[in-house]
Structures are given as C-alpha cells and as structure tokens.
Amino acid sequence: MEENIKIKTILSGIKPTGQLTIGNYIGAMKNFIRLQDDYDALYMVVDLHALTVPQDPKELRQKTLSVIAQYIAVGLDPEKSTLFIQSHVTGHTELAWVLGCLTGLGELSRMTQFKDKSAKPGANINAGLYTYPILMASDILLYNADLVPVGDDQKQHVELTRDIAIRFNHRYSDTFTVPEPVIPKSGARIMDLQDPLSKMGKTDSGESGRIALIDDPAVVAKRIKSAVTDSGTEIIYSDKDEKAGIRNLLTIYSNLSGIQVADLEAKYAGKGYGEFKKDLADIVTQSLSPIKQKHDELMKNKDYLDEVLRNGAEKAQNKAWKMLSKVYRKTGLVQLKR
Ligand code: ATP
Ligand code: LTN
C-alpha cells in the first residue's frame, strides 16, 4: 500500500518596519529560499506586528509591498511558496486571543526583545509590544508549522511558542505541531557596522550601521569602508570583544561568498583592512545588485504583486479557517451548524 507521507510545513515572517537588511537576509531569508523546495512553505509579511511601533500609514503600505517584492527578488518563488500578508488572513488575531489565555504574564516579562525594546529611551511601551510573542505563536501554530527559520534573536519567541503548543495539547488534546526553530550556524546574528556588539536591525540601527538589500552600490561601499574595526591589523576570527567588528565583517563575507572563514583568514594573512574591505564591498554589491534590480522592476508591476498576494491569502486562509474552527471546537466554543 502506498504510504501517505505528510509534507512538512515551514513558515516564517518579517516585519515591514523598514528596508530589509543583510542581517534579515543572512540570518533568515537564505534559509527561506533553501527550504522552499522541500517543504510546504509559507512566508508572510507580519504587518500587524509592525504596529507595535508607531508607523506612518502611507509608508507602512509601501514598505509592506516592498518586502513582498524583496521576497520574490531574493528567490522565493510564488509558485512554490505561499507568500502573503498577515492582515489578509482572518485567524491570526483570533487564535492569539485563545493562546493569550494560556500564557503567563511572567513568561512575557522574560522576553529579552520586549525588555530591550522597552528599555530604549523614549520607548512607546504599549500592550501590543508586550503581547507580541503571543501573536507570533499564533502565526506559527495556525498553520501547524514544523520548522521556523529565524535569526538568533527570535529563538526565545519560538521556544515560548513550543511551550504554549504543549500546554494547549495537554489541556485539551493533541492539536498543534510543536515547531522547531531553524537557525543558521554562521550568520544568525549579524551585527551593526558602527556598533558591532549590537544586532543590525531595520529600525534599531542607524543608517551607517546597516546595509539594506536595496541600497545603491555606492552606499554599500561607503558603509563597509566606514565600518568599525579595531586598532590592530590582523584579519582573524576571534571571540574577543575588541575583534567584534572584523569578526562581523568576516561572517558577512563568508556567508555571501560561500568561502569558509578559515580560508578568508589565509587569503588575507599579512594584508590590511583596506584591501579586505574593498573586496568585501565588491562581494556585497555583487550579491545585492540583482536583488535591487528585480525589486525595482516588481514595484512597477503592482498588478502582478496583487495577484501573488490574492493567491497567497486564499491558500493561507483555507488552512487558517480549518485550524481556527478546530481550536474553537476543542476549547468548548459553540459551533454554528451549517
Ligand atoms: P526591527 O529592527 O524593526 O525590530 P529586525 O531587523 O530585527 O527589525 P525582524 O523583522 O524582527 O527584523 O526580523 C526578521 C527576521 O530576520 C527574523 O527571523 C530575525 O531573527 C532575523 N534577523 C533580524 N536581524 C538580524 C540580524 N542582524 N542577524 C541575523 N538575523 C536577523
Ligand atoms: N517576531 C518575528 C517576526 C515574526 C515571525 C512570525 C517569525 C512574526 N511572526 C512567525 C517567524 C514566524 C521577528 O522577527 N521580530
């Protein structure tokens, strides 16, 4: 008898809070692309999550479409992966309510992302910023995702998602798949070019600390040239804090060129930071130019993007409704007879 093999589901999301950086690309999107062939892949733009910090409505619309265009430009194929916008699917916020009733305040207070973001001077500490990990758990569990490719900073949120899934399954009955994070061995935390002890972020890094996927080549070269290194001369990968700058640049170089760090150390032995940075700028611009070009073309073709989004929302919605109604039934909410 033919065995019924269930294709596993992979799912992730990115906030449309600004232009995507090489941190998002190396830490998360490269795995999105690598895994789309072998899994039922769902990749969304989590626009509801973006509302946890104040957004200009016009800019938010533009940035959300631009992230979808960047998904396609880096190599996500809408024929293989379901690409959609979170707010187009009913179910994410509804499931979040149910899961929120199973989540402790203590658990949310322990989330380092919340602690970091709320400790920033002038931070807008709203309830959404605090309950954000519940919405993320809902994004994942709504589709029974097996794998969640993310950068290092999201590991804690995926762990909370696992705890919530296990708790629900235990309290009611087996319902949710308990997801696993997929975190790259190298490049899970690309650092700010000006402050290499802090993560490069779309919103948290200043302009000179980050490189966007759609930056102009001249801007990329300038950012790399002015990246912080140290007063030494050695191009070596070391865990010491004073080597954080060069360690970060070696990680970026290795991830974008496919050359192992040890081989880069050998290649640049006895050479200066200037030559290394010049080569790195070439590697980064070569990797990003086709992405920017494709993104710019797609942004002129809004009809195509609309079609991708309509198909994506429809596919995701079918799955979401099934799961939501199952959860409502299991929790004892009365179902309407149809
Ligand atoms: P913001 O600065 O607005 O909080 P962000 O740049 O941290 O945004 P997210 O939308 O929160 O980006 O993250 C999308 C994905 O990219 C997540 O999986 C996250 O872990 C990953 N990621 C973000 N920044 C980095 C980084 N510097 N290095 C590696 N992965 C990253
Ligand atoms: N919290 C994530 C974005 C995110 C996400 C998700 C990632 C929201 N929902 C579901 C993976 C799966 C972040 O990067 N800040």
Side-chain angles (χ1 to χ4, degrees):
M1 206 174 72
E2 199 177 297
E3 214 181 324
N4 199 356
I5 300 170
K6 182 187 167 283
I7 298 179
K8 289 196 171 185
T9 299
I10 186 158
L11 171 145
S12 197
I14 297 187
K15 287 177 291 177
T17 38
Q19 291 190 347
L20 301 190
T21 69
I22 54 170
N24 299 129
Y25 180 62
I26 295 172
M29 297 167 93
K30 279 182 77 191
N31 272 337
F32 294 8
I33 305 158
R34 185 172 66 83
L35 296 164
Q36 70 174 334
D37 290 324
D38 300 328
Y39 292 85
D40 183 8
L42 295 119
Y43 299 119
M44 63 191 141
V45 181
V46 287
D47 53 349
L48 296 171
H49 282 266
L51 298 180
T52 53
V53 291
Q55 302 288 339
D56 173 79
K58 203 168 151 219
E59 278 178 25
L60 179 60
R61 261 191 290 277
Q62 204 277 341
K63 284 189 279 194
T64 304
L65 286 181
S66 172
V67 175
I68 288 289
Q70 287 174 73
Y71 274 0
I72 302 171
V74 296
L76 292 180
D77 178 352
E79 300 291 321
K80 291 184 190 159
S81 296
T82 303
L83 306 181
F84 67 104
I85 294 177
Q86 182 188 33
S87 67
H88 287 176
V89 179
T90 306
H92 291 249
T93 48
E94 286 83 347
L95 179 60
W97 178 261
V98 177
L99 301 181
C101 297
L102 292 173
T103 309
L105 292 186
E107 291 179 297
L108 294 178
S109 306
R110 277 195 294 278
M111 294 294 117
T112 39
Q113 189 178 56
F114 172 73
K115 288 197 270 186
D116 290 350
K117 295 223 175 214
S118 54
K120 294 235 152 69
N124 163 346
I125 313 176
N126 57 68
L129 195 65
Y130 188 64
T131 57
Y132 168 117
I134 303 172
L135 183 56
M136 174 162 163
S138 164
D139 297 338
I140 297 170
L141 300 182
L142 194 55
Y143 300 95
N144 259 340
D146 297 274
L147 297 182
V148 183
V150 283
D152 176 65
D153 64 311
Q154 295 302 312
K155 189 167 171 232
Q156 198 186 28
H157 290 160
V158 180
E159 274 160 10
L160 177 66
T161 304
R162 290 171 57 86
D163 291 344
I164 297 173
I166 292 168
R167 201 168 297 154
F168 186 100
N169 289 349
H170 191 250
R171 178 160 318 172
Y172 299 102
S173 64
D174 219 12
T175 307
F176 294 125
T177 301
V178 180
E180 297 277 349
V182 181
I183 299 171
K185 281 205 182 69
S186 157
R189 194 175 181 82
I190 299 296
M191 309 309 274
D192 184 303
L193 299 179
Q194 290 302 315
D195 173 12
L197 294 176
S198 304
K199 181 182 92 87
M200 181 187 288
K202 277 183 245 113
T203 38
D204 295 340
S205 292
E207 279 204 346
S208 48
R210 55 186 146 95
I211 294 176
L213 296 186
I214 55 172
D215 271 340
D216 279 319
V219 172
V220 172
K222 199 167 123 205
R223 300 267 159 85
I224 291 176
K225 197 168 167 209
S226 63
V228 167
T229 45
D230 54 79
S231 55
T233 50
E234 276 188 302
I235 299 169
I236 48 162
Y237 190 98
S238 151
D239 286 338
K240 290 195 185 125
D241 274 0
E242 63 265 29
K243 280 284 176 194
I246 202 75
R247 179 168 74 233
N248 190 38
L249 297 182
L250 275 167
T251 305
I252 296 171
Y253 198 141
S254 171
N255 273 280
L256 294 183
S257 65
I259 305 173
Q260 296 293 319
V261 168
D263 294 333
L264 290 173
E265 287 175 329
K267 180 171 156 88
Y268 289 99
K271 296 187 177 152
Y273 289 164
E275 186 174 345
F276 171 78
K277 282 181 166 181
K278 195 182 153 298
D279 291 352
L280 175 58
D282 287 345
I283 293 286
V284 179
T285 31
Q286 273 164 30
S287 310
L288 301 191
S289 296
I291 298 175
K292 178 178 168 48
Q293 201 185 342
K294 180 94 200 208
H295 164 268
D296 293 353
E297 273 166 29
L298 286 165
M299 287 303 276
K300 289 188 209 127
N301 194 349
K302 294 276 163 52
D303 288 346
Y304 172 70
L305 291 181
D306 275 351
E307 191 193 319
V308 167
L309 290 173
R310 256 195 314 276
N311 289 339
E314 196 186 326
K315 279 200 238 162
Q317 186 68 77
N318 283 334
K319 296 185 196 221
W321 266 325
K322 278 192 200 132
M323 182 52 104
L324 188 67
S325 89
K326 190 170 174 185
V327 168
Y328 277 4
R329 184 165 43 79
K330 294 221 185 189
T331 44
L333 306 180
V334 173
Q335 310 259 286
L336 262 185
K337 294 216 167 58
R338 297 198 187 270

